[in-house]
Structure formats: C-alpha cells, structure tokens
Amino acid sequence: MIDQANRDDVIWLAGLLEGEGAFDLQRGRYPRVRVAMTDRDVIGRAATLFGVSVRLSLKAAPHQAMWHAEVQGPKAEAVMRAILPHMGARRSQRIASILGHAPKTEKTPPSISRPPGLPLERA
C-alpha cells in the first residue's frame, strides 16, 4: 500500500496518475482515484500501491482489454496526500479541492481552532 511505498514508487505513481489518472468524489462525498489502460503490468503495479486488486473490462473487437485500478475513501485520501507534492498545478488543485470537500476520516487529524487546554473565552 501507499503508506509502505518507497519514494521512487510514490513518484512513479504520481507520474502515472498525472497523465492517466482521474480524481473525483464518488457520490459527491467519498474521495476516489482511478486509472485504466491496456497495459496490465502498469495497472498491476498501481493496484499494488493502492492496496486493491485489478479489474478487467472487455469490449467487442477491435477494442483491446482495459485494466482498471480504483481506490476510494481513506485509502484514496492517503494516495492523494502521498502524491500531491509531485503533481502539476492543475492536478494539485483538483486533489486539494477533493480533500477539502471530503468528510473527515479517522486518518485525517481534526482541525483545531485554538491550542488544546485553553478555555474558549477569556474572562
């Protein structure tokens, strides 16, 4: 999975997703990262980094088999956070927008408006 990946794998995944990836909110709420192509080995590597399995879709000839890897929810958030420093401006903006609108998960630290332990109002 992405949290166990080395720097080179994260950079490789960022490059792949920069060109072939799709970032969105599934059902308008849940972060999702998708990638699909005809190269099984490339999708297999991405799926391993996502921590998911590969899916195959077939269409009638002359189309080739399409391999898919998709991750959603907290795993997708982890992928987006890992690759964000390596993405271009347009994709970075899209990822930031998705992470800003996604519901908070247990892996996302809560926002703190004041230092812990201080009273809300001063007397």
Side-chain angles (χ1 to χ4, degrees):
M1 287 198 355
I2 197 70
D3 53 349
Q4 299 168 348
N6 64 37
R7 184 175 187 273
D8 289 343
D9 285 335
V10 172
I11 292 171
W12 176 87
L13 184 61
L16 174 67
L17 295 175
E18 180 74 44
E20 299 293 328
F23 304 90
D24 63 359
L25 288 171
Q26 182 184 26
R27 297 184 188 148
R29 292 195 58 185
Y30 307 104
R32 178 170 61 177
V33 180
R34 297 178 293 159
V35 63
M37 58 185 1
T38 60
D39 298 322
R40 167 64 173 93
D41 59 327
V42 174
I43 296 299
R45 185 175 176 188
T48 299
L49 293 171
F50 286 172
V52 299
S53 57
V54 174
R55 189 171 46 99
L56 171 65
S57 65
L58 300 171
K59 291 186 178 180
H63 299 285
Q64 294 183 339
M66 287 292 289
W67 301 95
H68 306 263
E70 178 180 308
V71 64
Q72 46 195 295
K75 284 184 179 182
E77 285 183 37
V79 168
M80 288 181 196
R81 290 182 197 288
I83 66 170
L84 184 58
H86 309 289
M87 303 302 281
R90 183 173 61 93
R91 296 287 188 163
S92 293
Q93 183 179 14
R94 177 70 177 148
I95 291 169
S97 173
I98 290 168
L99 293 175
H101 287 91
K104 302 290 186 214
T105 66
E106 66 278 358
K107 294 185 179 183
T108 306
S111 61
I112 299 175
S113 59
R114 61 181 174 77
L118 293 180
L120 291 174
E121 296 179 14
R122 296 196 178 199

